[in-house]
């Protein structure tokens, strides 16, 4: 609970700025508690590198320490902003905001204690959020988010390492008991299956739309889908480089390599790859969700909680799919022919068999892909364990 530095006893109303950072405003004095980068957006400072040599005069709403010191704004204001050197946040009085925005004292009095339009409590449009996150001024707070996320990751490397085997063991037990098998196969796994078909089709230069139990795709590849796929991958690469997100950079480079190799293949090879990509999507997309758990896949503090949801989804797709093909290889489950939509006459495996692949080679190919995915997951998990050990050694 944050208290107003000016009114003392008033509790700040939580708000969210354009970049998704949490802040607050006081309904009594209309003051604003925000980051230094947001203060730049509001026009209070010329840059986010705010420093104060003055003596602290008030308590910080976030740190709860006597650390707020006055700093100079871009122009003379009725009340100087207060800056906390510990959390790099700023308190801006309501009269200061009015002066910066050029609002007359008469207009401010006419509003009374209502919140100004720019106080941030109104919902921001999607375009405003995208511009604040990836626009030309988005890097003003880059180093601060980099430091915060790095500190959070270094504080809990052991928790990240322990979460993987705990989630994996839970999903493995539930799948072995058959409690969630049908539910997962008809929801999450089927969604990843159809997404695998759709992604393979797009990377082959085809327009595709994944639907429940079915993926609609154009019969022939064309320049429109190819160029659109290339544009999406280029945007992913640009965002990854700009926001320093290795996960997005690697994902974009992988997509570019597949687009270049599969986009120029023959129609027969493309359809063979699209048919095989259904089960491949269960393995690869599930593994990507698990790998994203180890990465800073989203440049927001909220990712520290969201990553566990992504890990659970990835495990709930990958492990049951892997177990199923292990049972098929052992003869405990029949080879999957046909589909729910077209019946036994057509399906992914039917098309692979018609292309000359044997059941044994199909099973071995999927098991090899699964083993590769397991090796990638275990590699990231061992790397996280090493980070936990290194952090503990540094702490000692």
């Amino acid at each position: 609970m944050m208290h107003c530095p000016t009114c003392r006893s008033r509790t700040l109303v939580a708000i969210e700025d354009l970049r998704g950072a949490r802040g607050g405003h006081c309904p009594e004095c209309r003051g604003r508690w925000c980051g230094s980068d947001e203060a730049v957006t509001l026009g209070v400072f010329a840059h986010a590198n705010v420093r104060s040599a003055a003596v602290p005069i008030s308590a910080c709403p976030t740190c709860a320490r006597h650390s707020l010191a006055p700093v100079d704004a871009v122009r003379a204001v009725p009340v100087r902003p207060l800056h906390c050197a510990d959390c790099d946040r700023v308190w801006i009085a309501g009269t200061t905001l009015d002066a910066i925005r050029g609002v007359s004292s008469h207009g401010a009095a006419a509003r009374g204690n209502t919140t100004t339009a720019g106080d941030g409590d109104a919902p921001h449009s999607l375009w405003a959020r995208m511009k604040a996150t990836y626009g030309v001024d988005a890097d003003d707070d880059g180093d601060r988010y980099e430091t915060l996320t790095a500190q959070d990751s270094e504080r809990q490397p052991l928790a990240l390492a322990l979460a993987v085997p705990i989630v994996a063991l839970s999903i493995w037990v539930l799948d072995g008991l058959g409690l969630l098998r049908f539910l997962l196969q008809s929801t999450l796994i089927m969604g990843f299956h159809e997404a695998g078909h759709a992604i393979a089709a797009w990377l082959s230069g085809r327009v595709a739309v994944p639907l429940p139990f079915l993926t609609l795709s154009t019969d022939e590849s064309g320049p429109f889908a190819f160029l659109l796929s290339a544009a999406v991958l280029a945007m992913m690469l640009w965002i990854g480089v700009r926001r320093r997100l290795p996960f997005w950079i690697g994902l974009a480079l992988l997509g570019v390599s597949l687009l270049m190799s599969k986009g120029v293949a023959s129609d027969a090879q493309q359809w063979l790859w699209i048919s095989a990509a259904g089960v491949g999507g269960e393995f690869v997309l599930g593994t990507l969700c698990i790998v994203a758990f180890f990465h800073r896949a989203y440049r927001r503090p909220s990712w520290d909680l969201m990553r566990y949801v992504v890990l659970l989804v990835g495990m709930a797709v990958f492990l049951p799919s892997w177990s199923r093909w292990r049972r098929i290889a052992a003869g405990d489950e029949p080879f999957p022919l046909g589909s729910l939509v077209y019946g036994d006459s057509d399906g992914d495996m039917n098309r692979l068999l018609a292309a000359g692949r044997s059941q044994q080679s199909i099973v071995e190919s999927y098991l090899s892909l699964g083993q590769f995915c397991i090796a990638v997951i275990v590699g990231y998990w061992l790397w996280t364990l090493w980070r936990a050990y290194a952090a503990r050694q540094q702490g000692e």
Side-chain angles (χ1 to χ4, degrees):
M1 182 180 297
M2 299 182 296
H3 295 284
C4 175
T6 302
C7 303
R8 308 290 183 180
S9 60
R10 294 287 298 190
T11 301
L12 297 181
V13 178
I15 60 174
E16 188 177 87
D17 63 27
L18 290 173
R19 292 176 173 84
R22 302 295 295 176
H25 75 89
C26 178
E28 183 68 27
C29 66
R30 297 181 295 106
R32 177 72 172 266
W33 178 245
C34 62
S36 57
D37 56 298
E38 181 69 7
V40 174
T41 305
L42 295 172
V44 180
F45 301 127
H47 53 80
N49 187 22
V50 180
R51 294 293 181 269
S52 176
V55 177
I57 61 174
S58 186
C60 173
T62 302
C63 304
R65 291 191 293 267
H66 198 76
S67 56
L68 287 183
V71 289
D72 292 326
V74 293
R75 49 167 289 184
V77 292
V79 181
R80 297 172 66 190
L82 302 178
H83 175 255
C84 177
D86 294 334
C87 62
D88 194 28
R89 301 187 72 78
V90 181
W91 171 255
I92 309 171
T95 53
T96 298
L97 288 173
D98 291 340
I100 293 296
R101 294 165 179 158
V103 180
S104 65
S105 58
H106 175 75
R111 285 196 311 269
N113 291 333
T114 58
T115 306
T116 59
D119 279 344
D121 53 336
H124 301 293
S125 65
L126 176 62
W127 170 247
R129 287 183 177 275
M130 291 292 292
K131 184 178 179 181
T133 303
Y134 303 114
V136 293
D137 62 335
D139 286 335
D140 290 343
D141 63 332
D143 294 337
R144 186 167 65 88
Y145 275 116
E146 182 81 24
T147 303
L148 286 175
T149 314
Q151 289 175 350
D152 292 338
S153 299
E154 293 300 330
R155 288 193 193 104
Q156 301 176 349
L158 185 59
L160 297 179
L162 291 177
V164 176
I166 292 175
V167 173
L169 181 61
S170 302
I171 297 296
W172 186 275
V173 171
L174 292 175
D175 179 70
L177 296 176
L179 298 178
L180 296 178
R181 188 172 299 174
F182 175 76
L183 180 61
L184 289 176
Q185 288 180 353
S186 59
T187 54
L188 276 179
I189 296 178
M190 183 56 61
F192 276 60
H193 183 97
E194 299 303 333
H197 285 313
I199 293 174
W202 279 101
L203 294 178
S204 301
R206 289 172 167 81
V207 178
V209 179
L211 300 174
F213 310 107
L214 176 68
T215 297
L216 300 179
S217 175
T218 55
D219 294 332
E220 297 180 355
S221 59
F224 171 76
F226 187 88
L227 293 176
L228 186 58
S229 300
V232 171
L233 293 173
M235 181 178 296
M236 291 174 58
L237 182 62
W238 179 77
I239 292 175
V241 172
R242 181 176 180 81
R243 307 303 289 174
R244 296 188 292 277
L245 299 172
F247 179 77
W248 289 101
I249 295 174
L251 199 61
L253 293 178
L254 175 63
V256 169
S257 64
L258 290 175
L259 183 64
M260 294 178 63
S261 60
K262 303 301 181 181
V264 297
S266 63
D267 286 343
Q269 291 176 332
Q270 289 179 352
W271 279 117
L272 185 65
W273 183 55
I274 293 173
S275 300
V279 177
E282 300 172 17
F283 286 159
V284 175
L285 297 180
T287 301
L288 287 177
C289 288
I290 300 172
V291 170
F293 172 77
F294 299 102
H295 276 276
R296 181 169 48 85
Y298 187 56
R299 198 180 178 86
R300 286 290 178 268
S302 58
W303 173 247
D304 291 333
L305 177 61
M306 189 63 186
R307 71 198 317 164
Y308 290 94
V309 178
V310 175
L311 172 65
L312 181 62
V313 171
M315 283 292 185
V317 171
F318 175 77
L319 281 181
S321 300
W322 165 255
S323 300
R324 182 192 183 197
W325 283 93
R326 292 271 295 179
R327 293 193 299 270
I328 294 174
D332 298 331
E333 188 171 326
F335 188 79
L337 294 173
S339 66
L340 293 176
V341 177
Y342 299 107
D344 296 335
S345 62
D346 191 15
D348 298 338
M349 300 302 112
N350 298 73
R351 289 189 286 270
L352 293 178
L353 291 174
R357 301 291 300 274
S358 64
Q359 291 188 9
Q360 182 179 357
S361 65
I362 294 173
V363 173
E364 291 177 350
S365 298
Y366 284 135
L367 289 180
S368 299
L369 176 62
Q371 291 170 354
F372 173 77
C373 293
I374 291 175
V376 172
I377 295 170
V378 172
Y380 273 99
W381 181 68
L382 292 175
W383 170 69
T384 306
L385 280 179
W386 169 253
R387 287 178 55 213
Y389 172 76
R392 181 175 181 181
Q393 292 296 108
Q394 291 179 357
E396 295 177 353

